[in-house]
Amino acid sequence: MTSATRKLIIAIDGPSGAGKGTVARALAAALALRHIDTGGMYRAVAWKALRDGVALADEAAIAALARTAVFGLSDGRIAIDGHDVTAEIRTPEIDAAAASVARLPDVRAALVARQRAYGEAGGIVMEGRDIGTVVFPRADVKLYLDASADERARRRAQDAAHAASRDNGGVANVAQALAARDQSDRTRTVSPLTLAEDAVYLDTTGLSIDEVVALALAAIPRT
Ligand code: C5P
């Protein structure tokens, strides 16, 4: 396929609470592309490991699980091996467990291979931490969304999907947990969260969702 006929691959990366999910969904809807939330895949794998009693440090067992799991990713929902886990994976326990399994190289290799398979035909908005750097280094558009730590904690605390985090102790707790997860994501040895050289950096602090979506749309080439 030539670049003129290949459908767009849009990569969105950035830390937790920067608005990747909201922006990815809006772009996918506006451009009629498929949206894949790769964080949901790490979360679902962590959920299944916990449910099956697999130790989070057992890299071989979790990588096998990541290779063989049947994911259902549609209409903003995520299922693993027939269980719809959309709500269950947004808890403080899974926040931490997902960041923990995401540090394991063999688990990442398994999920990156599956993410490439979802996206290779194009027509996709994929969000995560390493999409523009590792999964699709040749993505047509790379966006890196960021916001101040305070604003990210505030957004996360207000996010209905993460109600369990807020109910567990308010914004201060959310801020602390977010900072710990960011630190883990930025310092791990395999595919740490970094800004791709050719990514468009968007600081969304103080911007409304509509303003961020407008900036993101403006970064996308139209044919
Ligand atoms: O994006 P979300 O917060 O749902 O991701 C959960 C965790 O999964 C992150 O904290 C990160 O450790 C991991 N992750 C990753 N690479 C991705 C997406 C998520 O390491 N592409």
Side-chain angles (χ1 to χ4, degrees):
M1 243 186 277
T2 68
S3 58
T5 56
R6 196 168 61 81
K7 290 194 268 166
L8 280 181
I9 295 178
I10 301 177
I12 305 186
D13 291 301
S16 314
K20 299 185 299 292
T22 309
V23 172
R25 275 190 297 277
L27 289 185
L31 303 169
L33 302 174
R34 184 168 182 210
H35 167 221
I36 302 276
D37 166 16
T38 62
M41 297 173 75
Y42 287 93
R43 288 173 182 275
V45 165
W47 176 90
K48 189 162 167 63
L50 290 175
R51 203 202 58 154
D52 292 354
V54 178
L56 292 183
D58 188 342
E59 182 165 7
I62 299 178
L65 193 160
R67 269 192 299 273
T68 56
V70 177
F71 291 105
L73 304 168
S74 60
D75 301 328
R77 305 203 67 82
I78 178 153
I80 185 165
D81 294 337
H83 298 273
D84 186 322
V85 293
T86 312
E88 279 169 77
I89 57 174
R90 310 279 165 197
T91 65
E93 185 189 19
I94 302 291
D95 286 350
S100 167
V101 303
R103 296 177 71 88
L104 304 173
D106 290 353
V107 174
R108 298 203 70 83
L111 290 186
V112 165
R114 305 195 64 174
Q115 290 154 11
R116 286 188 180 137
Y118 285 129
E120 66 194 354
I124 199 155
V125 181
M126 192 173 280
E127 53 154 313
R129 303 291 186 294
D130 59 344
I131 311 305
T133 51
V134 175
V135 182
F136 289 114
R138 300 187 59 199
D140 302 278
V141 184
K142 299 180 187 179
L143 302 174
Y144 187 99
L145 296 192
D146 208 351
S148 72
D150 280 355
E151 176 131 348
R152 292 189 291 108
R154 234 185 348 262
R155 287 180 190 165
R156 187 45 59 94
Q158 284 166 1
D159 185 346
H162 285 267
S165 317
R166 180 190 53 229
D167 298 345
N168 249 23
V171 182
N173 260 22
V174 173
Q176 216 172 42
L178 214 66
R181 202 142 65 88
D182 279 356
Q183 172 74 1
S184 172
D185 290 346
R186 288 184 212 271
T187 58
R188 65 179 175 228
T189 30
V190 195
S191 311
L193 170 66
T194 48
L195 175 64
E197 253 175 38
D198 49 352
V200 175
Y201 179 87
L202 293 177
D203 182 350
T204 69
T205 310
L207 299 183
S208 68
I209 291 169
D210 288 350
E211 287 169 327
V212 179
V213 171
L215 287 173
L217 279 169
I220 294 166
R222 306 301 175 104
T223 50

